[in-house]
Amino acid sequence: SVERLDQLLNASDPEVLEHTLRVVLRTAQRWSYQRDIKANLATISARLTAIADPWNVKKHLPAVASTDNSEAGALVLHTNEFRMLANDEHTELLKKHAGVVDYQFFRTAEEARLLEEEAAAAAVPPATPSVSHAQRKAQSSKRSLGTTAPVSVGLVSINARIWDVCDAAAQGGVHEQMQQAFDRLVLMYHVPASHYYELRQRIYVALALGRGDQALRLRLLRSRIYAASVLSLMMGEQEFKNAFLSREPSFTADVIGVLQPEAHAPLSVQTAVLLVLEGLLKLRSELSGAYVALNASANHGVLMFILRKAFAAGSNDADAPAYPYEFTSALMSFLTAMANTMNGGQLLVSAGVVPVFVAALRNSHPGHLRSAGRVAKLLDLLTSSTPPAFPA
């Protein structure tokens, strides 16, 4: 049920979060056209928006890197954020500069008044002078969390380096560090409960970058892409533009950059990108930008590079597929969605996909047999809907 999915999305384990988002994405891909299911999924849109929010990593990097790595620093500043995060080339630079909890929220006058009343009540001495050892320990622990910021009305900005609010040597690992940072920031900035989820996501991002933890960074990056994909499927086009694309207008072109061979992105991230592109193709305003970024009509474009590599194996059984089935499945789903869009089939035929698909059907390697049916279905779609495809 949606209630259980919502509880899983609220889990503090990033691995559970990622797998839950995959389930939600599959549900949205298959059933988003049904109004009742679409309405149920809309109840978790706030959590999805928090996960899909931009990380704004590049603003924490120096304008010019250190003298011993100036070339790498210049490259980072001219690379889109997704490509920068998807490979480990700049892990040390991100670890040094980008481990920052960067979050903003708006506090109303009513929330400020309640906080002041709570603080005044806490300042009143107890009626009995006796204080237990456990109470003294709790009070001492609370004071050690740091100086609290004054209660203000309006926009509150949190900008704290992750190692200033948690212990780098915490025995519990990343989960213990997240809890330490969360407790301190909530106390210091009087964060209301309605913003706990967003703050926790920001802390995990800061930890992934500050620790130089590539596995955690990639997991959070995939979760961010999955969440954006679900939002694109369950929201109307204008609603999605207002809620998401207004904050990250270059999102489509940036995620496509991850597919470029020179990006050296892991296949797991590329698979997530193909899944989100399948949803973005349903937005008319994003079609032309996606096709331009993909160079879809060119024989030397990124799609043709991937297809040639995917089906390069000949009849020799020793030639194993270059990509795992999960990636190939996401690729075929994206190509099918593209072939069903206006001009999408024509662009694929112009790029020369038909000879590649025909050669793929002749491929006898067992690893390609799982994809053969989908290739044949897509080839049938192209030949029946695009007249130039049949002579090709």
Side-chain angles (χ1 to χ4, degrees):
S1 66
V2 176
E3 291 78 13
R4 291 183 179 178
L5 290 175
D6 183 65
Q7 293 174 358
L8 289 171
L9 288 176
N10 195 32
S12 58
D13 189 340
E15 184 176 2
V16 174
L17 176 65
E18 181 187 7
H19 290 300
T20 303
L21 285 168
R22 286 296 300 266
V23 173
V24 176
L25 177 57
R26 290 300 184 189
T27 303
Q29 286 175 329
R30 295 185 180 184
W31 307 106
S32 61
Y33 61 88
Q34 294 189 7
R35 290 187 177 181
D36 54 342
I37 295 180
K38 195 171 184 178
N40 289 335
L41 290 177
T43 60
I44 59 175
S45 61
R47 296 199 192 280
L48 295 173
T49 303
I51 299 168
D53 271 347
W55 293 359
N56 298 320
V57 169
K58 292 170 68 174
K59 79 174 189 179
H60 300 298
L61 301 180
V64 179
S66 57
T67 54
D68 58 337
N69 198 24
S70 58
E71 184 177 350
L75 180 62
V76 167
L77 295 177
H78 291 86
T79 303
N80 77 61
E81 184 175 290
F82 287 93
R83 283 184 59 170
M84 178 177 58
L85 294 168
N87 63 60
D88 60 352
E89 183 179 354
H90 307 294
T91 298
E92 289 303 316
L93 191 64
L94 294 171
K95 181 178 179 180
K96 183 178 180 181
H97 298 286
V100 179
V101 181
D102 188 1
Y103 180 61
Q104 295 179 333
F105 66 94
F106 190 87
R107 183 185 292 122
T108 64
E110 179 64 18
E111 289 174 337
R113 184 185 64 80
L114 292 175
L115 285 170
E116 290 175 350
E117 291 178 354
E118 291 176 2
V124 176
T128 57
S130 60
V131 179
S132 68
H133 174 71
Q135 288 174 328
R136 285 195 300 269
K137 185 176 180 180
Q139 292 171 0
S140 174
S141 175
K142 186 173 182 179
R143 285 193 298 269
S144 68
L145 291 178
T147 305
T148 61
V151 179
S152 59
V153 178
L155 185 66
V156 180
S157 297
I158 300 176
N159 193 281
R161 299 203 64 81
I162 188 63
W163 302 127
D164 292 339
V165 291
C166 72
D167 183 7
Q171 294 183 351
V174 65
H175 300 292
E176 178 66 26
Q177 290 169 342
M178 188 281 296
Q179 194 60 48
Q180 287 181 358
F182 178 80
D183 290 340
R184 293 184 180 183
L185 291 173
V186 167
L187 178 66
M188 292 168 63
Y189 292 92
H190 310 288
V191 181
S194 58
H195 296 277
Y196 283 179
Y197 188 79
E198 294 89 338
L199 178 61
R200 193 170 64 198
Q201 297 302 318
R202 293 291 181 168
I203 292 173
Y204 266 125
V205 170
L207 282 170
L209 300 175
R211 288 164 55 98
D213 190 337
Q214 185 187 17
L216 179 59
R217 185 178 77 239
L218 293 179
R219 188 178 298 282
L220 294 173
L221 183 62
R222 291 192 297 267
S223 298
R224 175 183 169 186
I225 296 172
Y226 293 147
S229 180
V230 176
L231 289 174
S232 70
L233 290 167
M234 57 182 270
M235 289 182 172
E237 182 169 355
Q238 190 59 45
E239 184 183 4
F240 181 69
K241 290 173 67 175
N242 295 337
F244 180 76
L245 292 179
S246 60
R247 291 174 296 170
E248 200 164 7
S250 61
F251 175 78
T252 302
D254 286 350
V255 294
I256 289 175
V258 174
L259 299 175
Q260 298 290 343
E262 59 270 19
H264 304 295
L267 288 178
S268 62
V269 179
Q270 294 189 47
T271 303
V273 169
L274 290 172
L275 291 173
V276 74
L277 287 178
E278 181 184 350
L280 290 174
L281 288 183
K282 297 181 180 181
L283 309 177
R284 290 178 297 177
S285 61
E286 296 300 304
L287 274 179
S288 59
Y291 291 157
V292 170
L294 286 167
N295 205 0
S297 62
N299 189 259
H300 58 274
V302 62
L303 281 180
M304 290 304 299
F305 172 84
I306 293 174
L307 282 171
R308 290 193 182 98
K309 187 176 179 180
F311 301 111
S315 58
N316 187 355
D317 288 346
D319 297 330
Y323 296 114
Y325 177 73
E326 184 179 18
F327 177 88
T328 306
S329 176
L331 175 63
M332 299 309 298
S333 296
F334 166 68
L335 292 175
T336 302
M338 182 175 173
N340 281 304
T341 63
M342 184 181 300
N343 299 327
Q346 182 66 48
L347 292 173
L348 289 174
V349 172
S350 300
V353 298
V354 174
V356 175
F357 287 158
V358 172
L361 292 177
R362 298 195 184 107
N363 197 316
S364 61
H365 190 281
H368 290 288
L369 295 180
R370 296 178 69 184
S371 304
R374 301 185 70 173
V375 171
K377 184 177 179 179
L378 181 54
L379 191 59
D380 176 67
L381 176 62
L382 290 174
T383 54
S384 60
S385 62
T386 311
F390 190 78

